[in-house]
């Protein structure tokens, strides 16, 4: 059975998963938890995604009509948890972050806001099996794209690779589900894809080019089929509806994008 979640619940779940009383430094502990070297490019991108999610949650708290005192408390708690993911927080022993920033006293008010956020920002969690299948599909496409070159439009191939890499990083390391900043990575992929498809040469002239359009389109279809973006995100995706005709034709799918976005648009 599919599980419903929301940004407040997902954020607190993340914080609870990674809090531990350890004398290891935060950077080393988080690097191990996320499976990336401390202060590598991926490490910095993961921390940036967490900060963006805190910013998004603060905006959401102010938009859903929470009582002012409750909203102020939740926002203060969010800003306190943020300290765990700053350079100062990660260079101390992680036990310090756990006991000062990722405490029940800070996470509970954020968690309690979940009931208010879910009607507007709720979304369905992708199953582990679906997630694994999707990651395999994206990784296979990335490997295929890295091995090809398009002399005149290779910048588009690079944009596809960069966008897919950012998307799969958030998919596997931070948790994706309905977050706007995760959706932004996918939007870059779709924009690059549409640019690629609109510039496609005549049929039969450039088979590698046509194969790139088809393979990318098929994986994008699977992403939209499986990832259940939040209603608020889906409703801002009218750019997909306007541009999806090319993808529909290239991937030869039988159903329109309206059916793929769970809440419509």
């Amino acid at each position: 059975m599919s599980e419903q979640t929301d940004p407040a619940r997902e954020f607190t779940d993340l914080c609870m998963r990674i809090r531990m009383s350890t004398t290891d430094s935060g950077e080393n502990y988080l690097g191990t938890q996320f499976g990336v070297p401390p202060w590598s490019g991926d490490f910095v991108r993961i921390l940036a995604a967490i900060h963006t999610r805190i910013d998004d949650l603060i905006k959401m708290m102010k938009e859903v009509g929470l009582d002012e005192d409750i909203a102020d408390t939740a926002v203060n708690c969010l800003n306190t948890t943020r300290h765990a993911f700053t350079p100062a927080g990660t260079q101390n022993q992680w036990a310090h972050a756990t006991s000062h920033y990722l405490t029940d006293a800070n996470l509970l008010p954020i968690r309690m806001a979940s009931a208010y956020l879910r009607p507007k920002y709720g979304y369905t969690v992708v199953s582990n099996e679906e997630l694994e299948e999707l990651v395999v599909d994206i990784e296979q496409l990335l490997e295929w794209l890295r091995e090809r070159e398009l002399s005149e439009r290779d910048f588009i191939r690079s944009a596809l690779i960069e966008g897919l890499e950012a998307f799969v990083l958030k998919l596997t390391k931070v948790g994706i589900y309905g977050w706007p900043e995760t959706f932004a990575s996918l939007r870059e992929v779709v924009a690059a894809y549409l640019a690629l498809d609109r510039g496609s040469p005549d049929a039969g002239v450039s088979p590698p080019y046509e194969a790139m359009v088809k393979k990318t389109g098929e994986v994008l279809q699977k992403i939209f089929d499986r990832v259940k973006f939040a209603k608020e995100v889906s409703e801002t995706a009218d750019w997909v509806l306007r541009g999806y005709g090319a993808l529909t034709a290239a991937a030869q799918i039988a159903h329109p994008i309206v059916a793929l976005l769970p809440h419509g648009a």
Side-chain angles (χ1 to χ4, degrees):
M1 184 175 179
S2 297
E3 179 185 356
Q4 293 291 314
T5 192
D6 58 81
R9 179 179 174 184
E10 191 180 25
F11 177 76
T12 54
D13 282 348
L14 170 66
C15 291
M16 292 172 69
R17 283 198 306 272
I18 61 178
R19 65 179 184 175
M20 178 178 287
S21 184
T22 173
T23 57
D24 203 1
S25 68
E27 55 195 9
N28 289 334
Y29 174 75
L30 290 177
T32 300
Q33 290 297 303
F34 291 124
V36 297
W39 300 111
S40 62
D42 282 348
F43 185 88
V44 172
R45 281 186 279 272
I46 290 169
L47 291 188
I50 292 172
H51 281 275
T52 300
R53 293 184 179 199
I54 292 171
D55 292 339
D56 286 342
L57 269 171
I58 290 172
K59 292 176 183 176
M60 292 173 191
M61 298 286 186
K62 296 178 179 179
E63 291 175 357
V64 294
L66 277 170
D67 177 86
E68 185 175 348
D69 290 339
I70 296 175
D72 288 346
T73 299
V75 168
N76 287 337
C77 289
L78 281 164
N79 282 322
T80 300
T81 63
R82 187 194 300 273
H83 292 303
F85 308 104
T86 62
T90 56
Q91 288 164 15
N92 274 322
Q93 294 182 359
W94 188 243
H96 182 271
T98 294
S99 62
H100 287 76
Y101 309 134
L102 305 183
T103 62
D104 287 341
N106 284 325
L107 297 181
L108 184 58
I110 303 170
R111 186 83 167 199
M112 290 177 65
S114 171
Y116 297 91
L117 266 60
R118 190 165 300 181
K120 185 174 183 180
Y121 297 104
Y123 38 88
T124 303
V125 175
V126 179
S127 71
N128 289 335
E129 292 77 14
E130 288 178 308
L131 195 59
E132 290 172 4
E133 291 174 3
L134 192 56
V135 170
V136 169
D137 289 337
I138 295 173
E139 293 288 5
Q140 288 176 345
L141 175 59
L142 278 167
E143 183 179 357
W144 191 91
L145 286 169
R146 292 182 186 117
E147 294 174 352
R148 267 70 183 176
E149 291 186 6
L150 297 175
S151 57
E152 291 185 2
R153 297 182 180 86
D154 209 53
F155 68 94
I156 297 179
R157 181 180 68 100
S158 297
L160 286 171
I161 291 172
E162 290 173 9
L164 286 167
E165 286 176 339
F167 183 70
V168 80
L169 177 74
K170 294 166 186 174
L171 192 74
T172 57
K173 304 298 184 183
V174 188
I176 74 145
Y177 308 122
W179 288 89
E181 52 92 9
T182 298
F183 189 71
S185 297
L186 183 60
R187 178 173 182 166
E188 293 172 7
V189 175
V190 175
Y193 168 80
L194 292 173
L196 181 70
D197 185 72
R198 287 169 182 153
S200 180
D202 295 336
V205 173
S206 179
Y209 195 109
E210 291 177 356
M212 192 172 295
V213 172
K214 186 174 187 299
K215 284 180 178 290
T216 304
E218 288 171 347
V219 171
L220 285 172
Q221 181 208 342
K222 291 178 181 178
I223 291 172
F224 277 105
D225 266 329
R226 294 174 182 170
V227 176
K228 314 305 182 188
F229 291 104
K231 180 180 180 182
E232 192 74 4
V233 172
S234 298
E235 288 178 347
T236 62
D238 60 336
W239 55 272
V240 177
L241 297 177
R242 291 195 302 266
Y244 210 72
L247 177 54
T248 302
Q252 297 180 337
I253 59 177
H255 46 291
I257 187 63
V258 172
L260 300 179
L261 290 172
H263 302 282

